[in-house]
């Protein structure tokens, strides 16, 4: 018997959860940018793709949105994460005021890598790079297949786990963890959305 | 929140929520030409709107403006909600659309849906709930026949004719032609039935308890299927799977072939519905075969692999029983 394809969960759904004053130019950075670019084309007038940001020729303030397909892969092009601050500064340079940078990373709380790894202290680094406001969303079950986006707050995660989460003993345990304020331990991926 | 969503919510009098959780992210909108993309997956997403205390206030379905099922849901709910007799069955809803997107907003109820409770229900309680819910579905159907005449309640449906396309789809998908011939024979024997509007996706996840009663949710497919007993079979079959969970050895139809108490109770519920809908045994058997065949064809197009395989196995069991000369009516409702 023939089989239908598994559904794909869009990776730009975060755009519905933020206010965007302009929706003209978007930049997709990373390998396999085509699928995401097609998705962003539904939200922006023009979408440009680039495999990396190294030697990227665009002028400052050229985009309303920069989204990376795979943060870890992009970081490999910046000396294994050593150039992360330069990368963020370059993203900030490319964005117009009010534009958004969106990157998804493995959740260091989930993976127990609070002291190292490319996702570590990203909020602070984004602020240092000049972003005004940084929001975090958990992507469940992962940023490769984001079926749900949950804001990083105890109230939102308790609501999600209570009304849409797992049932049975697993559900009770997850709700308890969320209710205790340890919700960051529950999800594999985080999407950072920062405002230029 | 995105300005378009904020404005759509404002147009139905709902203020911007303090926090928003995006759930069931299914496919990008816009752009979209139809609600299902090439892979057959639905498009759109749902939002859980939270107040400043983190309490959900609304569940908001966001779908492409081209989505026929969202339009159907908005239209059906708007018509049914005007009927005072249904105020205790249907949650308050709002709908709006603009620039490629349409919203159907339900007032949020804190109660967990029946699917999340079903595992804890004993047999007595489960079948009592099933009877109440199926009776509610019948009330909605009879009211819908009046307030939504365009859905064609009461028109004659020839089962063999209605099943032609699903049978062709299953044949193209490689289902054993002998099985399909056996199913087609029972459908043909079922002859013609009167259209009885069906919910189309009546299962425990679309039912919320409230007080001593129930809310019915999700009217995206309402009236798209009008063959009697569809909702009854779907509710009992999915309920069996929910309650048996990992303990389930076979399909619902397999369990109906047995003589245990659970099967007997299912037969009694179906028999009551057969009587209430004034079907004779052949019509009822044909309608039940219609359910299994239509559901399998639909699952084959859209459902995950596990559901597809399970429904195909169930259809094969049904066909094998027919080939052995067993009566679908006897197995499913104790009829001839």
């Amino acid at each position: 018997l023939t089989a239908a394809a598994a559904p794909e969960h869009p990776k730009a759904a975060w755009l519905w959860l933020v206010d965007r004053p302009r929706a003209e130019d978007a930049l997709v950075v990373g390998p396999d940018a085509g699928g995401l670019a097609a998705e962003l084309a539904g939200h922006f007038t023009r979408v440009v793709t680039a495999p990396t940001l190294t030697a990227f020729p665009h002028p400052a303030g050229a985009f309303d949105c920069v989204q990376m397909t795979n943060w870890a892969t992009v970081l490999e092009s910046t000396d294994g994460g050593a150039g992360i601050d330069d990368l963020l500064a370059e993203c900030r340079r490319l964005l117009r005021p009010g534009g958004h940078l969106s990157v998804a990373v493995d959740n260091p709380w989930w993976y127990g890598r609070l002291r190292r790894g490319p996702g570590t202290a990203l909020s602070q680094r984004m602020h240092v790079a000049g972003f005004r406001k940084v929001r975090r969303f958990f992507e469940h079950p992962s940023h490769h297949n984001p079926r749900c986006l949950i804001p990083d707050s105890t109230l939102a995660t308790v609501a999600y786990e209570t009304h849409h989460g797992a049932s049975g003993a697993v559900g009770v345990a997850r709700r308890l963890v969320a209710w205790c304020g340890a919700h960051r331990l529950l999800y594999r991926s985080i999407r950072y959305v920062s405002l230029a | 929140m995105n300005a378009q969503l904020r404005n759509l919510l404002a147009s139905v009098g709902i203020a911007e929520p303090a926090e928003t959780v995006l759930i069931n992210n299914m496919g990008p909108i816009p752009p979209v030409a139809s609600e299902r993309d090439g892979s057959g997956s639905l498009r759109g997403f749902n939002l859980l709107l939270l107040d400043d205390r983190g309490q959900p206030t609304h569940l908001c379905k966001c779908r492409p403006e081209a989505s026929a099922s969202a339009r159907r849901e908005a239209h059906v709910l708007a018509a049914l909600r005007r009927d005072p007799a249904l105020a205790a069955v249907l949650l308050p809803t709002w709908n709006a659309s603009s620039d490629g997107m349409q919203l159907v907003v339900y007032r949020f109820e804190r109660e967990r849906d029946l699917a999340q409770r079903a595992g804890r229900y004993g047999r007595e309680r489960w079948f009592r709930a099933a009877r109440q819910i199926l009776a509610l579905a019948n009330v909605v159907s009879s009211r819908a026949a009046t307030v939504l005449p365009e859905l064609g309640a009461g028109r004659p449906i020839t089962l063999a004719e209605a099943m032609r396309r699903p049978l062709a789809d299953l044949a193209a998908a490689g289902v054993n032609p002998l099985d399909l011939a056996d199913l087609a024979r029972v459908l043909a024997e079922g002859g013609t039935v009167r259209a009885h509007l069906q919910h189309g996706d009546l299962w425990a996840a679309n039912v919320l308890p409230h007080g001593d009663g129930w809310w019915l949710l999700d009217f995206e497919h309402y009236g798209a299927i009008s063959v009697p007993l569809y909702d009854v079979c779907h509710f009992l079959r999915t309920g069996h799977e929910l309650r048996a969970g990992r303990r389930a050895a076979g399909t619902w139809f397999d369990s109906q072939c047995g003589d245990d108490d659970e099967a007997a109770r299912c037969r009694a519920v179906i028999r009551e519905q057969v009587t209430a809908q004034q079907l004779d045994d052949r019509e009822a058997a044909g309608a039940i075969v219609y359910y299994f065949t239509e559901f399998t064809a639909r699952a084959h197009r859209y459902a995950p692999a596990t559901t597809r395989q399970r429904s195909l196995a169930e259809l094969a069991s049904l066909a094998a029983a027919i080939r052995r000369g067993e009566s679908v009516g006897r197995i499913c409702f104790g009829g001839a």
Side-chain angles (χ1 to χ4, degrees):
Chain A
L1 295 171
T2 54
E8 171 109 354
H9 302 298
K11 296 180 177 64
W14 62 271
L15 282 161
W16 295 105
L17 300 183
V18 299
D19 207 1
R20 292 173 291 135
R22 276 171 59 116
E24 290 178 16
D25 300 282
L27 170 64
V28 184
V29 184
D32 306 320
L36 182 56
E39 205 183 315
L40 286 173
H43 296 269
F44 294 91
T45 311
R46 284 174 294 277
V47 181
V48 177
T49 60
T52 73
L53 277 184
T54 309
F56 192 66
H58 275 73
F63 296 101
D64 302 302
C65 169
V66 175
Q67 180 163 347
M68 309 222 179
T69 57
N70 189 328
W71 176 249
T73 310
V74 173
L75 280 178
E76 282 170 14
S77 66
T78 65
D79 292 334
I84 187 168
D85 295 323
D86 293 339
L87 179 61
L88 290 173
E90 178 63 0
C91 290
R92 176 65 191 86
R93 185 187 74 80
L94 290 168
L95 283 166
R96 297 185 181 115
H100 288 91
L101 167 66
S102 169
V103 293
V105 298
D106 291 338
N107 179 359
W109 287 283
W110 164 278
Y111 287 98
R113 281 192 254 127
L114 281 174
R115 293 179 182 278
R116 56 197 162 79
T120 309
L122 210 48
S123 288
Q124 294 94 313
R125 291 174 121 157
M126 286 176 169
H127 281 298
V128 169
F131 289 97
R132 285 188 283 146
K133 186 178 172 187
V134 180
R135 290 194 69 190
R136 278 194 295 241
F137 298 92
F138 298 112
E139 291 193 317
H140 186 62
S142 79
H143 63 82
H144 300 294
N145 199 24
R147 192 163 49 81
C148 301
L149 270 80
I150 309 136
D152 176 10
S153 79
T154 302
L155 290 177
T157 48
V158 167
Y160 172 78
E161 292 296 338
T162 304
H163 301 290
H164 197 72
S167 56
V170 173
V172 172
R174 288 180 69 90
R175 288 195 289 280
L176 190 62
V177 170
W179 188 78
C180 292
H183 55 276
R184 288 174 184 160
L185 299 171
L186 293 175
Y187 309 100
R188 193 173 297 177
S189 300
I190 300 182
R191 178 165 296 280
Y192 286 84
V193 178
S194 44
L195 181 67
Chain B
M1 173 180 277
N2 177 301
Q4 184 185 355
L5 275 177
R6 198 169 53 233
N7 293 338
L8 277 170
L9 287 173
S11 73
V12 293
I14 299 172
E16 183 174 8
E19 200 65 273
T20 308
V21 179
L22 191 151
I23 53 182
N24 295 340
N25 178 24
M26 295 177 288
I29 46 174
V32 67
S34 71
E35 64 193 302
R36 293 181 186 276
D37 61 20
S39 69
S41 58
L42 268 168
R43 284 176 177 262
F45 53 88
N46 296 343
L47 298 175
L48 198 56
L49 310 183
L50 310 181
D51 65 16
D52 53 8
R53 292 172 294 122
Q55 297 299 323
T57 57
H58 300 87
L59 178 71
C60 178
K61 289 183 174 182
C62 306
R63 298 288 183 272
E65 204 161 22
S67 163
S69 57
R71 272 205 307 273
R72 174 185 285 269
E73 180 167 40
H75 174 65
V76 165
L77 284 172
L80 293 178
R81 287 277 310 157
R82 285 196 290 271
D83 188 331
L86 300 178
V89 185
L90 305 172
L91 278 169
T93 52
W94 301 263
N95 59 281
S97 65
S98 82
D99 297 333
M101 174 179 273
Q102 56 178 321
L103 303 188
V104 180
V105 187
Y106 280 89
R107 187 184 77 195
F108 189 84
E109 285 294 313
R110 281 188 178 194
E111 294 289 348
R112 295 170 79 80
D113 64 51
L114 185 57
Q116 299 190 50
R117 299 161 173 256
R120 295 197 299 274
Y121 274 31
R123 197 168 283 163
E124 187 70 37
R125 192 177 179 195
W126 171 257
F127 282 99
R128 190 168 61 242
R131 283 190 165 89
Q132 292 170 352
I133 291 160
L134 293 170
L136 277 186
N138 283 341
V139 170
V140 175
S141 182
S142 63
R143 298 304 303 152
T146 306
V147 299
L148 293 160
E150 66 274 23
L151 296 182
R155 74 184 188 282
I157 299 174
T158 305
L159 292 173
E161 193 66 35
M163 242 338 38
R164 192 162 287 163
R165 190 183 155 207
L167 285 173
D169 288 350
L170 290 171
V175 173
N176 184 349
L178 292 175
D179 287 357
L180 296 179
D182 290 326
L183 298 168
R185 199 178 70 243
V186 179
L187 285 164
E189 288 168 2
T192 300
V193 294
R194 290 279 160 198
H196 182 82
L197 300 177
Q198 303 289 298
H199 179 281
D201 194 16
L202 186 68
W203 72 298
N206 285 331
V207 177
L208 283 180
H210 85 103
D212 294 332
W214 307 92
W215 300 112
L216 301 185
L217 310 177
D218 197 350
F219 285 72
E220 291 191 3
H221 307 289
Y222 196 84
I225 290 171
S226 303
V227 172
L229 303 182
Y230 191 96
D231 285 348
V232 182
C233 293
H234 194 58
F235 190 85
L236 293 175
R237 201 191 110 253
T238 51
H240 169 82
E241 291 176 0
L242 270 175
R243 293 172 64 242
R246 292 180 191 147
R247 290 177 285 122
T251 63
W252 177 61
F253 184 77
D254 293 332
S255 80
Q256 281 306 111
C257 292
D259 279 323
D260 63 10
D261 182 51
E262 180 99 9
R265 285 172 188 255
C266 276
R267 277 195 280 272
V269 172
I270 298 174
R271 168 51 81 187
E272 288 163 16
Q273 295 290 326
V274 169
T275 306
Q277 295 178 32
Q278 299 176 327
L279 299 168
D280 68 29
D281 284 6
R282 280 176 188 267
E283 289 169 343
I288 289 168
V289 169
Y290 175 95
Y291 165 71
F292 281 111
T293 313
E294 201 283 340
F295 178 80
T296 306
R298 190 147 45 120
H300 182 74
R301 287 197 294 275
Y302 305 125
T306 47
T307 308
R308 265 194 330 261
Q309 284 156 8
R310 201 171 176 81
S311 64
L312 283 165
E314 195 156 29
L315 198 68
S317 288
L318 173 63
I322 294 168
R323 201 171 313 134
R324 288 195 301 271
E326 294 184 37
S327 155
V328 175
R330 190 200 63 75
I331 293 169
C332 293
F333 55 90

